[in-house]
Amino acid sequence: MPEEFNPATTEDDLTGRFLTFYIDNAVYGIELTHVIDIISAQEVTNVPSTPAYVKGIINLRGSIVPVIDVRLKFNIPEREYDDHTCFIVVDIDDMQVAIVVDTVDEVVNLDNQVTASLPEFNNVNTKEYLRSISKVDNHLVLNLDCEKFLEDGNGF
Amino acid sequence: MSVFDESMIPMLEVFIYETTTLLDQLDEILLEAEKEKILTDDNINEIFRTMHTIKGSAAMMGLTSISTLAHRVEDMFSILRETPSKMNDQNRGHIFDLVFQASDFFKSEIEAIQQNGDDYYPADAGSLIVEIEQEGAEMKGEAPVTPKPQPSPAAQPAAAQAPDQPAQPEPAAPEASPTPAAEEAASENGLHYVRVFFEDGCQMENIRAFALLSQLKDSCGFLESEPHAPETNMACSSDIVKNGFLVMFRPAPSSSLEEIYSIIENAMNIKSYEDVTEEYGTVSAGVAPAAPAASSVQPAPASAPAAAAPSAEAKKAQPQAAPQPQPQPAPQAAPPKAPQRAGGAGEGGIGRNALGKQSLISVNQSKLDQLMALMGEIVIAESMVTSNPELKGLQLDNFYKSARQLRKLTNQLQDVIMSTRMVSLTGVFQKMNRIVRDMNKNLGKEVELVTVGGETEVDKTINDVLGDPFMHMIRNSMDHGIESPEERLAAGKSEQGTITLSAQNVGGEIVISIADDGRGLDRNKILEKAERNGILTKPASDYSDKEVFGLIMLPGFSTNETATEYSGRGVGMDVVHKNLETVGGNISIDSKAGEGTTFTIKIPLTLAIVDGMEIAVKHDTFTIPITSIKQSFKLSEDTQLLTDTDGSEMIMLRGDCYPIIRLHEVYGIDTEVVNLEDGIFVQVENENKTACIFVDQLIGEQQVVVKSFPPFLNRYNLKDAGFSGCTIRGDGSISLILDINNFLNKF
C-alpha cells in the first residue's frame, strides 16, 4: 500500500492526488480523497434484483459494502478476478462502495500535469462518467467523476 | 442570556425527567377521576403532592411561571383537601379543565426548555392563574372576582419564587401546633430515629429527602426531620450529603415498623440507612419528654432553629410557613390527620408507592442501543468462532462443550439486554385517553376509549414510534368513524361510541388493533375519490375490499371534503404507514359499513436479532425467519405435483394445494439442483398466502443479526424484491434475509 494512506496525512495533502488503475489497457484516475481502502478481490455475495454491474455485497470488517464492477458499468466484457484484481473502497456522500478494477497502478499528483477537457468519445457510456483527461509522463489518465459514476439509477 | 442559573444546568435533565414523570402520573389520575366523576381523598392528596413537588423543583430551577402556576393549583387543592365537599357537580368539570390546562402548560414549558435549552424564555401563565384563583375563591365562598389574591396566597408566591432566601422570618412552622408536641410527649418511647444517606451524586438531595418524607407521611403518626422541611432549601442538600438525613417518626397505628422500613428501603436513590434510635432515643429519654430540644439534634419539630444547623433559619423559609388563618395544610402540617388517611385509603397508597419505588435507574437510551449493537457483534463473533471452517473434521469434544456453554450464556445475555429495552405500552395508551377526552369535548361526541393489554411490552424504539400513528388513527376514528350521538341513536346504536385499543403478543409479533363501532368505511366513496385522483390502476370493480381500504393509506388521500381541526388533510394515514415501516410493521384495515372499522397493526417484537433458517441455493445463502416457516420437507414418492395451464407448479399437501416457488428461478441463480426430488421445500406463510419455496438444501437454524442494506442499494427497492436485510454469517460471508411477507406478495 502506498504510504499516502497513512492516517496522519491530512486531507489537504490528498487533494489533487489521484489513484490510478487499469481497466483493459486504459488508465483511469480517481481522487484520493474519496478512497478509503484498497483490498484484494474477495468473494462477493450476489444480490438479486440489481443490475449486472452491481456484483453484490461484501463484508468489510463488519460493515456491508456494495460492489460495482467498472468493466460492466462501462460495457466492457467481464473477466475473471485474478491476483491483480482490486476492490477500491470509495466513500462518496457518506455512501461506501467498492469498485472492481483490473489492477491498481499508482498515486499521481495531477495538479501540475497537463489536463485537458474531454475529446469526443465513441463510447458514450464511458464518457458520461469522466471529468477530464490528464497526461502523466507519457500516458493518458482518464479521471473518473465519482459522483456521476454512482448517482444514476438508470443503468438497468 | 439564560434563565437558568449556571449551577442548575446539570440538574436540568433530572428536573425535566422527574417533572415529566409526575405530569404523566397527574394526567393518569385526572383521567381516571374524571371518568369516575369523583376525586377521592387519595387523588386530591396525590395531585396536591405532585403540584407541591413541581412547585418546589421549578422554583429551585428558577422557573417562576411554572412554580407560580403549580402553587395556585396547589392552593386550590389544599381547599379541596380540607373540605372535599367544596367540589360539586357544577364546578367539577371546570376544576378538571383547569388542572388539565395547567398540566398542558407545564408540558409545553418543559418541551420548550428541552428544545431551546439556554434560549428558553418562560411563557406567561397569567390568565390561567387568575382563573384558578377565581375558582379557589369561589370554592371558599368568597366574592368570585379577586384580581388580587387574598393575603395568604399573596405571601406564598413570593416564598415559592425565592425559596432559598429566608423570606419568612418567623419560623412559625405548622408543626409548632401543640398537637404533635403533645402526642410526642405522650408516647416518647415510641419514637424512632433513622439516618438516611442518599446515593453519591444523585443530586437534589433535599428534594429526594422531601419525597421520602411524603412517602412516609401516610404511615407515620408523627414525622419530623433534620434538616427540617428540606424541600424549601436547596442549601441543605450539602448538609444532607455530609451528615445524612435524619428522620424521626412514630408509626401510625395502622402501619407496622417493618412497613416503614420497607418504604425507606425501597425509596429511590437511597444508598444506606441506619437506625440511630438508641443514639438519640436515650438522650431524649434522659431529658424531659416535652422539651427534647436540649440535645444538639432536635427530635422536637418546633425547635429546629437551634444549635446544630447554622442554616436552620433558611430552612424555615418554606412556603407554607405563613401564619395561616385559612386552611393551608403543608404536607408536613398534618401529622395528626395522617393516621386517618392512612387508615382510610392508606393501603392503596402504600401499595402504589412500593410498586413505583422499585430500584429503578434511568439510563441514557443511546447506551442501551450501544449495548444492543455490541450484543449483535458478540453473536456474530461467537458463531465465527464456533463454526470456524478450520475446525471442520476435528475431534473437539471439550471445545464444543464449552461452545455450548458460551452459546447458552450469550442467549441469556441477549434476553436480558432485550428485556432492558422493553417498555410497556401503558404510557402510549394513556396519552390516547387524553386525546379522546379533549376531542369528546370539542366535537360534542361521547366516545369511550377501552384499552386492553396496555401492559404488553415492546422495544423502546417501537414504543417511541407508535405514539404518532395511534394519535392519527384515534383522531380518524373519532372524527370520521364515530357518528354524532343523534346519528348513533337513529342508527339504533347506543349513544356512546366505543374505541377499543388493544395490544397482544402473538408469536414473534405485537398485534395492536384499534377498533371503533362507528359508521365504517364507505367503499364507494373511497373508490370515487380514488378515481378522481387518478390512482386506480384497474377497474374499480376489480378491487377487493382490502385493496380499497388500503387506498386510504396513500398520502394526500382523504374522503373528507373539508379538513377539520383534527383530520381530513390526508396526512395522517400516510404518517401511520411511514412510521410503521421504520419498525418493520404493517397495517391492515377491516371495515363493515354501519358496524365499524378495525385497524390491525403487526410489528415484529425485536428488530435486531432474529431466529432464522439458513438455506442454500448453489453458493448463495438466504435466511428465512423461523416465524414465517410452517415446515420443511423433502418430496416423498406419494406427494402429488400438479401443473396448471400457465405452467406454474403446485404441490398437494394434506388435501390443500400450494404453489411452488423455485428460489433459483425467481432470483436467477444458476444451480444444478433443479429436480424437485433433489432439493428441499420450505413451506412459508404470510397472513393471506402460503407457498412452498424450493431450495437446494437447508444449512441449519441460526440466530442472525439483521443488518440493513448499504444506502447505495436503496434505489433498487430490495424490500419489494423480498429482502429485509442481510446478515454476516459465522464464516464472515453474507446471507440475505428474506422478508416472507413481501416475498409472497411479489412471487
Side-chain angles (χ1 to χ4, degrees):
Chain A
M1 209 103 326
E3 86 268 43
E4 279 80 5
F5 283 92
N6 182 347
T9 319
T10 63
E11 198 160 281
D12 283 345
D13 299 328
L14 298 179
T15 46
R17 304 187 126 197
F18 282 71
L19 177 70
T20 60
F21 56 85
Y22 279 94
I23 301 284
D24 262 359
N25 293 319
V27 184
Y28 293 82
I30 185 169
E31 276 176 87
L32 208 53
T33 45
H34 289 307
V35 178
I36 298 176
D37 206 346
I38 303 171
I39 52 177
S40 56
Q42 54 169 277
E43 188 133 347
V44 180
T45 306
N46 178 40
V47 179
S49 309
T50 49
Y53 65 80
V54 178
K55 294 300 290 180
I57 47 184
I58 53 166
N59 168 13
L60 181 71
R61 293 184 293 273
S63 55
I64 310 280
V65 178
V67 180
I68 294 179
D69 195 313
V70 181
R71 281 174 163 264
L72 291 173
K73 181 90 175 173
F74 288 169
N75 287 341
I76 302 166
E78 197 178 359
R79 58 165 220 166
E80 284 274 306
Y81 295 170
D82 58 25
D83 288 350
H84 297 289
T85 308
C86 279
F87 292 180
I88 304 176
V89 184
V90 294
D91 185 320
I92 290 137
D93 297 334
D94 284 334
M95 237 167 22
Q96 289 191 8
V97 174
I99 60 175
V100 184
V101 300
D102 287 2
T103 182
V104 170
D105 188 24
E106 58 178 345
V107 172
V108 291
N109 209 328
L110 290 186
D111 268 354
N112 315 324
Q113 312 291 339
V114 186
T115 302
S117 54
L118 292 173
E120 281 303 313
F121 266 108
N122 290 332
N123 188 341
V124 184
N125 200 4
T126 312
K127 186 195 167 186
E128 262 181 64
Y129 307 116
L130 295 184
R131 186 179 286 159
S132 60
I133 291 187
S134 306
K135 188 168 181 292
V136 180
D137 299 335
N138 52 1
H139 61 263
L140 290 176
V141 174
L142 309 165
N143 296 323
L144 210 58
D145 187 331
C146 278
E147 281 87 355
K148 273 195 195 147
F149 184 73
L150 294 184
E151 82 188 353
D152 75 312
N154 53 11
F156 283 95
Chain B
M1 198 193 76
S2 166
V3 293
F4 298 113
D5 195 273
E6 191 73 15
S7 63
M8 289 298 161
I9 301 285
M11 286 189 217
L12 201 53
E13 204 176 332
V14 181
F15 167 73
I16 291 174
Y17 171 75
E18 291 191 344
T19 313
T20 319
T21 319
L22 282 173
L23 287 174
D24 283 348
Q25 282 167 7
L26 178 69
D27 264 13
E28 205 173 316
I29 297 168
L30 285 172
L31 285 164
E32 185 69 21
E34 197 182 44
K35 210 154 93 195
E36 304 288 327
K37 294 202 169 41
I38 186 153
L39 266 182
T40 61
D41 288 356
D42 251 6
N43 293 151
I44 294 176
N45 285 327
E46 196 75 39
I47 296 170
F48 183 87
R49 273 197 291 270
T50 307
M51 284 301 158
H52 190 79
T53 315
I54 292 177
K55 178 187 76 179
S57 43
M60 193 174 71
M61 302 303 297
L63 299 166
T64 336
S65 60
I66 295 182
S67 69
T68 319
L69 180 59
H71 193 102
R72 292 308 144 81
V73 181
E74 188 189 341
D75 282 350
M76 189 164 79
F77 273 84
S78 78
I79 300 170
L80 287 175
R81 216 159 103 135
E82 284 300 302
T83 37
S85 56
K86 289 280 188 201
M87 180 184 259
N88 50 37
D89 288 340
Q90 285 107 51
N91 66 6
R92 182 185 300 119
H94 191 224
I95 291 175
F96 277 120
D97 277 348
L98 287 176
V99 185
F100 271 125
Q101 278 173 32
S103 154
D104 283 348
F105 177 81
F106 295 143
K107 278 184 204 153
S108 68
E109 287 295 287
I110 299 273
E111 219 163 274
I113 294 171
Q114 276 176 312
Q115 273 170 12
N116 305 333
D118 267 8
D119 297 328
Y120 158 79
Y121 286 100
D124 182 34
S127 59
L128 188 55
I129 290 178
V130 171
E131 249 186 278
I132 294 176
E133 277 169 3
Q134 281 178 3
E135 185 63 43
E138 269 173 50
M139 275 194 283
K140 266 190 259 167
E142 292 170 17
V145 189
T146 37
K148 277 203 171 148
Q150 54 275 66
S152 163
Q156 280 151 12
Q161 283 158 28
D164 30 16
Q165 292 159 22
Q168 248 21 80
E170 62 276 298
E175 287 85 352
S177 65
T179 335
E183 255 187 44
E184 192 219 291
S187 57
E188 152 70 24
N189 287 339
L191 266 185
H192 294 267
Y193 296 75
V194 172
R195 178 169 287 147
V196 177
F197 286 93
F198 291 95
E199 276 165 27
D200 299 337
C202 71
Q203 300 193 330
M204 293 211 259
E205 282 79 7
N206 59 327
I207 300 294
R208 297 185 195 285
F210 168 63
L212 178 64
L213 287 182
S214 325
Q215 279 176 36
L216 289 172
K217 197 174 54 189
D218 282 349
S219 323
C220 295
F222 169 76
L223 180 64
E224 187 42 54
S225 66
E226 168 63 34
H228 171 77
E231 80 277 20
T232 56
N233 180 11
M234 260 287 291
C236 71
S237 281
S238 53
D239 290 6
I240 296 176
V241 173
K242 213 172 352 156
N243 304 325
F245 180 64
L246 186 67
V247 186
M248 300 147 248
F249 64 90
R250 176 158 24 76
S254 59
S255 316
S256 68
L257 198 56
E258 286 90 330
E259 264 171 49
I260 292 175
Y261 277 116
S262 87
I263 292 178
I264 296 178
E265 222 166 301
N266 292 327
M268 289 228 263
N269 297 89
I270 287 187
K271 186 171 70 180
S272 64
Y273 69 95
E274 52 180 336
D275 190 342
V276 288
T277 309
E278 280 206 349
E279 192 182 329
Y280 291 101
T282 48
V283 175
S284 300
V287 185
S295 117
S296 66
V297 181
Q298 305 79 17
S303 45
S311 55
E313 201 55 35
K315 281 170 213 147
K316 286 293 152 194
Q318 49 165 310
Q320 292 78 18
Q324 289 125 332
Q326 89 287 39
Q328 190 65 56
Q332 301 86 348
K337 271 192 242 113
Q340 287 149 17
R341 278 204 305 279
E347 194 107 348
I350 291 169
R352 206 167 42 239
N353 278 346
L355 265 184
K357 297 295 175 195
Q358 287 159 349
S359 47
L360 295 173
I361 57 164
S362 45
V363 181
N364 195 327
Q365 199 189 333
S366 66
K367 281 190 188 165
L368 289 181
D369 290 345
Q370 230 175 340
L371 199 58
M372 186 74 180
L374 266 177
M375 186 63 229
E377 297 303 320
I378 287 179
V379 169
I380 294 174
E382 185 217 302
S383 63
M384 276 184 183
V385 173
T386 53
S387 48
N388 198 308
E390 288 169 18
L391 299 173
K392 244 179 209 154
L394 296 178
Q395 184 74 28
L396 298 164
D397 288 348
N398 277 326
F399 173 83
Y400 284 112
K401 206 170 147 193
S402 315
R404 274 196 299 277
Q405 174 76 359
L406 177 65
R407 175 71 192 261
K408 206 172 110 193
L409 289 173
T410 47
N411 274 350
Q412 273 176 11
L413 184 59
Q414 191 191 324
D415 285 348
V416 173
I417 291 177
M418 294 289 195
S419 71
T420 59
R421 302 175 51 85
M422 297 300 241
V423 283
S424 84
L425 285 166
T426 323
V428 188
F429 279 18
Q430 203 60 51
K431 289 203 181 89
M432 300 307 128
N433 265 321
R434 182 67 203 276
I435 291 171
V436 170
R437 176 201 176 267
D438 289 354
M439 284 185 75
N440 268 338
K441 292 230 151 178
N442 293 342
L443 298 174
K445 291 185 179 177
E446 271 185 52
V447 179
E448 193 195 2
L449 183 72
V450 178
T451 56
V452 182
E455 70 283 353
T456 311
E457 287 189 324
V458 296
D459 192 281
K460 174 90 173 104
T461 351
I462 297 175
N463 199 64
D464 289 348
V465 164
L466 285 179
D468 280 353
F470 280 12
M471 185 186 71
H472 286 293
M473 281 187 284
I474 297 258
R475 281 180 171 183
N476 270 335
S477 294
M478 296 233 16
D479 213 13
H480 311 297
I482 304 226
E483 314 89 331
S484 64
E486 301 82 46
E487 267 178 79
R488 290 185 64 88
L489 284 177
K493 298 186 192 176
S494 72
E495 210 176 320
Q496 193 181 48
T498 310
I499 296 178
T500 312
L501 187 56
S502 70
Q504 64 182 132
N505 211 328
V506 182
E509 285 180 324
I510 293 283
V511 179
I512 300 167
S513 74
I514 298 173
D516 67 58
D517 62 350
R519 57 171 76 93
L521 291 172
D522 188 338
R523 180 191 157 96
N524 294 331
K525 213 165 153 188
I526 295 171
L527 281 174
E528 207 177 283
K529 173 91 183 194
E531 198 150 28
R532 237 182 304 147
N533 289 2
I535 39 181
L536 291 189
T537 50
K538 52 185 178 183
S541 51
D542 282 8
Y543 274 83
S544 72
D545 278 357
K546 268 218 150 83
E547 285 172 312
V548 172
F549 301 146
L551 291 174
I552 68 169
M553 295 290 177
L554 297 174
F557 193 92
S558 172
T559 51
N560 257 24
E561 294 305 320
T562 50
T564 66
E565 182 192 344
Y566 291 112
S567 54
R569 291 177 201 86
V571 187
M573 293 313 281
D574 187 38
V575 171
V576 172
H577 198 65
K578 286 268 150 59
N579 273 19
L580 289 178
E581 219 166 52
T582 59
V583 292
N586 58 25
I587 181 166
S588 62
I589 307 170
D590 206 8
S591 181
K592 261 195 184 142
E595 284 179 32
T597 310
T598 305
F599 296 93
T600 309
I601 297 172
K602 287 186 183 170
I603 304 166
L605 252 184
T606 61
L607 305 166
I609 300 182
V610 297
D611 278 316
M613 177 65 80
E614 297 202 317
I615 52 143
V617 179
K618 192 145 186 194
H619 300 305
D620 294 332
T621 54
F622 299 89
T623 302
I624 303 175
I626 295 279
T627 47
S628 309
I629 298 180
K630 271 188 94 171
Q631 59 164 334
S632 51
F633 58 91
K634 279 214 136 191
L635 215 54
S636 62
E637 282 180 9
D638 51 345
T639 322
Q640 259 186 294
L641 291 170
L642 314 157
T643 312
D644 73 3
T645 47
D646 299 340
S648 17
E649 294 167 295
M650 315 263 231
I651 191 164
M652 198 77 161
L653 289 175
R654 287 185 280 273
D656 284 319
C657 211
Y658 302 105
I660 294 175
I661 302 171
R662 289 170 179 254
L663 207 58
H664 65 92
E665 267 179 19
V666 293
Y667 288 147
I669 302 164
D670 188 20
T671 177
E672 296 86 39
V673 186
V674 290
N675 259 334
L676 290 178
E677 287 81 17
D678 298 339
I680 194 160
F681 290 91
V682 182
Q683 191 182 6
V684 294
E685 60 177 351
N686 69 359
E687 56 188 6
N688 41 31
K689 203 171 158 188
T690 304
C692 296
I693 301 179
F694 177 70
V695 301
D696 289 12
Q697 57 163 317
L698 293 185
I699 299 174
E701 211 182 311
Q702 181 76 44
Q703 252 185 353
V704 298
V705 181
V706 182
K707 293 198 179 242
S708 49
F709 285 115
F712 175 78
L713 297 177
N714 285 349
R715 64 189 73 167
Y716 303 122
N717 243 333
L718 292 173
K719 214 167 160 52
D720 289 346
F723 297 111
S724 58
C726 49
T727 183
I728 296 177
R729 300 179 62 221
D731 59 2
S733 67
I734 299 171
S735 161
L736 303 177
I737 302 170
L738 290 181
D739 177 346
I740 291 303
N741 202 12
N742 284 338
F743 181 84
L744 290 181
N745 288 343
K746 165 134 186 171
F747 301 111

